[in-house]
Amino acid sequence: MIDLAAETERLLAFAEGSRHPEGGFAWLRSDGTPDLDRPRELWITTRMTHVFALGELLGWPGAAELVAHGLDSLRHDFRDPVHGGWFAQVGGSTDKRAYEHVFVVLAAASAGDDALLGEALEVLDTRFWDQSAGALVDVWNRDWTDLEAYRGANANMHGVEAMLATGDPLWRERAVRVTQRLVVDNHPRLNEHFDEQWRPLPDYNVTEPAHPFRPYGATIGHWFEWARLAFTLDRSLFEADARRLFMAGVQDGWDGSGFVYTVDWDGRPVVADRLHWVLCEAIGAAAVLGEDALQAEWWDLAQERFIDPADGSWQHELDPSNRPSSTVWDGKPDVYHALQATLIPRVPLRDSLAASLR
């Protein structure tokens, strides 16, 4: 089996190249060079700050300075000093998105920055948390006057990850409510997209099925991710659902040589390209659920097809014949999923990876 500690270090070394000279972290190309022509993305800076916070807990040289670099950018470059919250991009979109805001929470929690964490949770509580629905709303405009008539599972799933990382009983209780709505009450294949009344939108983005954040149909990788998070959140409540989702991901997602990205509502592949993060989440779920034989098989696939020994990191996308592709993603934007996959099998199961490492 692959040396997971060595792979963690290799990913951290690759990730160092993402440091943006103007603050935060840049989108990395396939060869690991930063694409400084792209706007700085909040989701990349938050996730890479989280990654380097884990690196600091592992004792990785230079990680602490990179964490400070990321936190400084969150306090200044991305933060809206007028209306509060964080911009989706620097010099680009001024939307305020739940997806990115929960990663501000995760980055602050992993880094142990209580002031930033408190501010981020205040925004999450007052702007995104819908108490009546027991879930997060999705996208506001800059001054919080216009809320998009869309509700999404993706932001809420990562919201559960962030809520767990806070260590706060109130947010844990909210994570249970989110999981109840979007896992237990969301059969048979998990709907990803809803209207403002939380009614499913099964045909959402049917003309844009390869969307990186809101694809049409059911997203296989999220079944694995939900399985891991639900099991971690409360085994007594959600173990059966976690195992159901895990096995469904194997049944519908595995086509004999890799995992497809999405399936339709009958379980037929829609986008058959292989996304690296789907395999990473399958590995993480297998580790948590004790599916050791499958985990070993999937690490073999990762080593054979995804891990890039020449340019570093993992290929972010392969086509159905397992050749590098860019239908959904181009380059290697971040190492969040891959790095976590190397850690989950070898640390104690806690509410967050930072808690496990501490």
Side-chain angles (χ1 to χ4, degrees):
M1 186 171 166
I2 185 173
D3 184 336
L4 295 183
E7 182 60 16
T8 299
E9 294 181 354
R10 201 181 71 89
L11 287 165
L12 286 168
F14 179 86
E16 289 177 342
S18 67
R19 177 176 177 146
H20 198 292
E22 297 176 13
F25 299 101
W27 187 296
L28 292 177
R29 302 184 183 94
S30 292
D31 62 0
T33 57
D35 188 346
L36 302 183
D37 292 329
R38 287 180 182 263
R40 282 174 283 167
E41 300 274 1
L42 180 57
W43 67 270
I44 290 179
T45 287
T46 50
R47 285 173 23 159
M48 290 302 244
T49 302
H50 162 69
V51 160
F52 289 120
L54 299 180
E56 182 179 5
L57 291 169
L58 288 164
W60 180 256
E65 197 280 329
L66 288 164
V67 172
H69 177 79
L71 293 174
D72 182 73
S73 186
L74 294 178
R75 291 192 190 96
H76 299 101
D77 302 332
F78 288 94
R79 184 174 172 273
D80 184 347
V82 177
H83 300 289
W86 287 266
F87 298 125
Q89 297 175 329
V90 175
S93 173
T94 60
D95 285 346
K96 309 286 177 62
R97 302 173 185 166
Y99 182 89
E100 282 89 338
H101 278 69
V102 298
F103 277 113
V104 176
V105 171
L106 181 64
S110 298
D113 189 327
D114 291 340
L116 182 63
L117 177 60
E119 181 181 356
L121 287 175
E122 175 69 16
V123 174
L124 205 66
D125 182 44
T126 59
R127 301 297 188 181
F128 290 101
W129 178 251
D130 181 345
Q131 178 66 14
S132 62
L136 300 168
V137 300
D138 220 81
V139 180
W140 287 95
N141 67 337
R142 178 180 178 180
D143 66 2
W144 311 103
T145 58
D146 184 23
L147 176 62
E148 183 182 2
Y150 169 88
R151 306 291 181 263
N154 194 6
N156 276 279
M157 181 189 67
H158 285 290
V160 168
E161 177 183 29
M163 292 172 197
L164 275 169
T166 69
D168 184 326
L170 170 64
W171 286 103
R172 170 179 278 277
E173 178 186 345
R174 290 176 173 182
V176 169
R177 292 188 67 193
V178 172
T179 305
Q180 178 70 36
R181 172 179 284 280
L182 291 171
V183 173
V184 180
D185 300 335
N186 195 15
H187 286 262
R189 294 180 173 85
L190 301 190
N191 288 289
E192 294 276 337
H193 314 296
F194 304 83
D195 68 12
E196 66 272 28
Q197 300 300 318
W198 284 97
R199 294 173 296 215
L201 301 173
D203 294 328
Y204 188 90
N205 266 351
V206 67
T207 60
E208 195 178 355
H211 194 284
F213 293 106
R214 297 182 180 183
Y216 161 73
T219 307
I220 294 297
H222 287 170
W223 299 0
F224 292 121
E225 204 161 355
W226 270 120
R228 174 175 62 84
L229 290 169
F231 188 89
T232 303
L233 172 61
D234 194 323
R235 180 174 179 174
S236 66
L237 286 177
F238 300 124
E239 180 173 4
D241 293 285
R243 294 193 182 279
R244 168 181 63 83
L245 280 177
F246 180 85
M247 295 314 299
V250 175
Q251 179 177 321
D252 283 7
W254 182 259
D255 71 358
S257 63
F259 287 107
V260 303
Y261 179 36
T262 57
V263 296
D264 66 15
W265 302 114
D266 294 317
R268 295 183 297 255
V270 176
V271 178
D273 282 35
R274 290 84 159 86
L275 281 297
H276 91 293
W277 71 263
V278 178
L279 180 59
C280 292
E281 291 303 329
I283 287 169
V288 166
L289 295 174
E291 297 284 351
D292 296 339
L294 288 174
Q295 185 196 165
E297 178 183 345
W298 295 338
W299 272 119
D300 288 343
L301 174 64
Q303 196 162 20
E304 180 182 356
R305 299 292 186 181
F306 282 93
I307 295 174
D308 186 348
D311 291 327
S313 191
W314 293 35
Q315 301 288 356
H316 265 45
E317 181 178 348
L318 303 176
D319 70 13
S321 298
N322 284 318
R323 297 170 298 201
S325 179
S326 57
T327 300
V328 182
W329 291 105
D330 65 292
K332 299 171 182 173
D334 75 334
V335 302
Y336 158 78
H337 288 283
L339 185 101
Q340 294 199 151
T342 69
L343 293 175
I344 291 168
R346 57 192 181 94
V347 298
L349 182 61
R350 298 290 186 270
D351 282 350
S352 69
L353 277 170
S356 298
L357 292 173
R358 290 188 180 107

